[in-house]
Amino acid sequence: MSAPQSDVPIRPFLIGFPAAGLALGFVLRATAWNQWSDLVWAVATLPALLALLVEIVRRLRRGEFGLDIVAALSMTSALAVGEELAAVVVALMYSGGQYLEDFAEGHARREMTALLSRAPRTAMRHRDGQFEEIGVDLIVSGDRLLIRQGEIVPADGTLASPLAVLDQSALTGESLPVQRTAGEALMSGATNAGEAFDFIAARPAALSTYAGIVRLVEAAQRSKAPMVRLADRYALFFLVATLVIAGGAWAWTRDPVRMVAVLVVATPCPLILAVPVAIVAGLSRAARHGILVKGGKALEAMARIRSLVVDKTGTLTDGEARVVAIRAAEGFADDEVIRIAASLDQASKHVIARALVAEAQRRHLALTVPAEMVETPGEGIRGTVQGRRAAVGGISYVRAQLTQTGRGLEHVQAQDSPGAVVVWLAVDGQLAGHIVLADELRAGIAALLARLRALDIERIVLATGDRRDVADAVAAGLGLDAVRAELTPDQKVMVVLSERKAGLVMMVGDGVNDAPALAAADVGVAMGAKGAAASAEAADAVLLVDSLDRIVPAIEIARRARFIALESVFAGIGLSTLGMIAAAFGYLTPVEGALLQEAIDVAVILNALRVLRGG
């Protein structure tokens, strides 16, 4: 049974009118006016029947076909053969079933609806030493906003106050608040769980992460899963089976009441009820875990994944250069090396310079303002730090600044792992040491891949645009089935397509260069917390937290939703078929058949809602 959208405003009437008519008919049966009870029941059936017929016509004009036709046939035939009580019971059960389905879907959507309802409407902006309340659509890049306790961050940007305590549970599923310090990036949609803080918007609210999430949620709620469409197609076969059993019962017994009983038992069909409820429940539960699946189609496909293609940078690795080793020369300490290098690099915008400054801040080192800076793009920077001449950069650049021989200078870089970057420091013409930076594997990647293997993922392939030696070094010990390196975006697409021989393919990535492969995969998954907007738009699912391990619960939830949907369908159709056979042999009256079918519908809906709970 599909829930007609056209009659939603009058649904209370469509439930209340047959309920009142049913009760009035029984009252009349107990009085001298009992001859009027059948007429009252017939009249009480008409509004639901007429609304149903209008909806059937509308659906047929849209090229859609559903088992609502069975409901219309059962009510019409019951009225035709004088089974008015059965007709009004079917009308009441049908209208009540629609309400039950709406309630179940609303319950299933609660996490996704929560995301939509939390969207901020206004913000407090600093202006000329005062505050002004503005609509979030008026926020522009560079606005300084006040985020009060309990308010939601309306746009992406950076923290301008010393500290902020944020509740990101609605976005990431993390139950504990997180702390952010001045200068750190804040994601829109997080709730201020501490004192008020100032915030600098990086972009308009309409372009924020949370606005994008809201758009994706709305698209997901409008989607229709392949299993739902499959149910619509098989509705024709079930209708034929129903008519064969009903017609056979009539032809064999010459009793039209048995035909009516069969039709009543087949109304409405759990095939239509169970699937959308289970799929929507799966989407909702995934959102609760920080996984935004864009629709039922993606969720249903995710349940059947057999191959995984994964990007390296920002996916298997953190995607940021981090200090992994500091090797100070004689006469220098590790902290002194990083402090001088970071002090000088404050004047540079290079990504490596930012990594050195971040490491110094992590170590709580006091940085000083450099002087006389001269930067050679792509090579290094030199200047004065607290009166000492310093130079930071690559091996050739720093060698040119030395007045003393740097012993071992030529051999150290070869000792570091592939993909590592070595930054050298010279102080007063003397080699002070070097710093090794690398984009390291995310913690727990080996365990994550083992869990994916346990989920029957048959092939796991690394696809990266990075050098072969770097890719091989990252993949070492991970047990991957294949490593594809030095790939262009179109070559990544070919890798995804070639892996389809093993079954449906999931692609996980975060960069703009991953977007074509994400779109080509059966299920594209984007790292949404830090990834590029293009990859999030192209993907079928977005991880709202920067943690690759969320794909495990995503697959588990998808498989549970699909299993429970099919379980509900097979159980419901099996019970309905048994009921139709019993009715054909005269073991069920039309009224008893209607009550039995409603019990089956309630059972399959409740079973479908089990997706919301862990299994």
Side-chain angles (χ1 to χ4, degrees):
M1 175 187 67
S2 64
Q5 299 303 310
S6 59
D7 65 353
V8 170
I10 62 170
R11 185 156 298 159
F13 170 76
L14 295 180
I15 297 174
F17 194 79
L22 181 64
L24 178 59
F26 279 121
V27 170
L28 292 174
R29 275 287 174 96
T31 67
W33 301 86
N34 56 36
Q35 71 272 20
W36 294 99
S37 60
D38 289 340
L39 178 61
V40 168
W41 287 333
V43 171
T45 303
L46 294 179
L49 177 58
L50 291 174
L52 177 57
L53 292 173
V54 169
E55 181 61 26
I56 289 172
V57 171
R58 288 176 177 174
R59 292 192 64 191
L60 290 175
R61 286 178 176 175
R62 295 195 301 264
E64 299 176 4
F65 182 87
L67 283 170
D68 294 335
I69 293 176
V70 178
L73 285 175
S74 64
M75 281 187 264
T76 303
S77 60
L79 291 175
V81 301
E83 289 286 338
E84 291 84 359
L85 176 57
V88 74
V89 169
V90 170
L92 178 59
M93 296 303 183
Y94 175 78
S95 300
Q98 290 181 336
Y99 178 82
L100 179 62
E101 182 183 5
D102 287 347
F103 175 80
E105 288 204 25
H107 181 64
R109 291 182 190 271
R110 67 180 186 272
E111 301 297 334
M112 299 178 73
T113 303
L115 282 173
L116 295 174
S117 64
R118 294 177 69 258
R121 301 287 185 268
T122 62
M124 296 295 291
R125 180 169 64 184
H126 289 265
R127 176 61 60 90
D128 300 328
Q130 298 181 343
F131 290 113
E132 61 174 348
E133 187 170 7
I134 61 172
V136 294
D137 56 316
L138 298 179
I139 295 174
V140 297
S141 177
D143 276 349
R144 188 181 184 95
L145 306 175
L146 175 68
I147 310 299
R148 295 168 291 190
Q149 187 174 36
E151 289 186 337
I152 295 170
V153 179
D156 298 331
T158 55
L159 179 62
S161 296
L163 180 70
V165 181
L166 300 172
D167 177 3
Q168 299 184 148
S169 58
L171 297 174
T172 66
E174 297 170 308
S175 58
L176 297 177
V178 297
Q179 291 189 357
R180 295 288 183 262
T181 55
E184 286 194 80
L186 302 187
M187 184 168 64
S188 54
T191 302
N192 181 10
E195 299 298 323
F197 61 82
D198 280 350
F199 165 83
I200 306 298
R203 58 183 63 90
L207 302 179
S208 70
T209 301
Y210 192 73
I213 291 171
V214 168
R215 288 193 294 270
L216 296 179
V217 170
E218 290 172 338
Q221 291 190 333
R222 292 192 299 267
S223 72
K224 196 175 186 183
M227 290 178 66
V228 178
R229 291 193 293 268
L230 185 67
D232 291 340
R233 291 200 300 269
Y234 279 101
L236 176 61
F237 296 99
F238 189 82
L239 173 61
V240 171
T242 300
L243 294 178
V244 168
I245 296 175
W250 189 9
W252 179 44
T253 64
R254 301 297 181 182
D255 183 0
V257 174
R258 291 202 185 184
M259 177 195 68
V260 172
V262 171
L263 293 173
V264 165
V265 172
T267 309
C269 179
L271 182 65
I272 305 298
L273 285 169
V275 174
V277 171
I279 293 297
V280 170
L283 295 174
S284 180
R285 186 157 179 255
R288 187 192 311 167
H289 284 76
I291 311 140
L292 182 61
V293 184
K294 294 186 182 179
K297 177 181 178 181
L299 189 78
E300 203 272 334
M302 193 179 291
R304 299 184 288 127
I305 291 299
R306 286 294 175 266
S307 294
L308 173 66
V309 178
V310 61
D311 176 47
K312 180 185 74 69
T313 305
T315 306
L316 281 185
T317 66
D318 289 317
E320 296 179 354
R322 298 186 182 186
V323 174
V324 296
I326 301 173
R327 295 168 186 157
E330 186 175 350
F332 291 87
D334 288 357
D335 279 358
E336 185 180 14
V337 170
I338 192 69
R339 184 185 66 80
I340 296 173
S343 293
L344 189 56
D345 267 338
Q346 291 178 106
S348 175
K349 292 184 176 181
H350 195 278
V351 62
I352 298 299
R354 293 200 302 268
L356 294 181
V357 173
E359 177 65 17
Q361 291 173 339
R362 188 186 68 80
R363 293 171 176 248
H364 304 292
L365 301 178
L367 302 183
T368 57
V369 178
E372 303 173 356
M373 294 86 64
V374 177
E375 183 172 9
T376 304
E379 295 185 24
I381 185 171
R382 68 179 187 270
T384 303
V385 177
Q386 291 182 315
R388 307 178 72 181
R389 291 181 296 106
V392 178
I395 185 171
S396 299
Y397 181 82
V398 172
R399 182 190 288 117
Q401 313 299 320
L402 296 179
T403 57
Q404 303 178 34
T405 302
R407 189 171 61 185
L409 194 64
E410 293 82 3
H411 306 293
V412 176
Q413 191 164 11
Q415 298 172 4
D416 293 299
S417 62
V421 175
V422 179
V423 176
W424 299 86
L425 173 66
V427 178
D428 292 330
Q430 177 185 355
L431 180 66
H434 66 276
I435 305 164
V436 182
L437 300 96
D439 183 12
E440 295 185 296
L441 276 174
R442 293 176 182 269
I445 283 295
L448 169 63
L449 297 182
R451 292 173 65 191
L452 290 170
R453 297 284 191 191
L455 290 175
D456 297 325
I457 303 298
E458 297 172 2
R459 283 181 58 81
I460 302 178
V461 177
L462 174 62
T464 178
D466 216 334
R467 302 194 316 268
R468 164 61 62 177
D469 60 336
V470 175
D472 288 339
V474 167
L478 294 181
L480 301 177
D481 295 291
V483 177
R484 306 281 188 259
E486 302 178 16
L487 300 176
T488 60
D490 59 324
Q491 289 173 330
K492 283 190 176 184
V493 171
M494 294 306 298
V495 170
V496 168
L497 297 179
S498 67
E499 290 299 323
R500 281 203 173 131
K501 59 182 178 292
L504 267 62
V505 180
M506 174 186 285
M507 167 71 189
V508 185
D510 77 320
V512 174
N513 64 326
D514 295 321
L518 291 171
D522 296 291
V523 180
V525 179
M527 306 292 292
K530 295 183 179 179
S535 63
E537 289 295 329
D540 301 293
V542 179
L543 304 185
L544 302 181
V545 59
D546 189 37
S547 179
L548 188 62
D549 62 4
R550 295 302 172 98
I551 64 174
V552 172
I555 293 174
E556 291 175 338
I557 290 168
R559 290 185 177 179
R560 179 172 170 80
R562 186 172 187 271
F563 174 80
I564 289 179
L566 292 174
E567 177 186 66
S568 299
V569 166
F570 292 140
I573 293 301
L575 291 173
S576 295
T577 302
L578 291 175
M580 286 191 289
I581 293 173
F585 281 96
Y587 294 109
L588 289 175
T589 66
V591 174
E592 292 170 342
L595 296 174
L596 173 63
Q597 185 56 60
E598 187 62 20
I600 294 172
D601 290 336
V602 171
V604 298
I605 290 177
L606 294 177
N607 186 62
L609 285 174
R610 289 195 298 119
V611 176
L612 291 172
R613 303 192 300 273

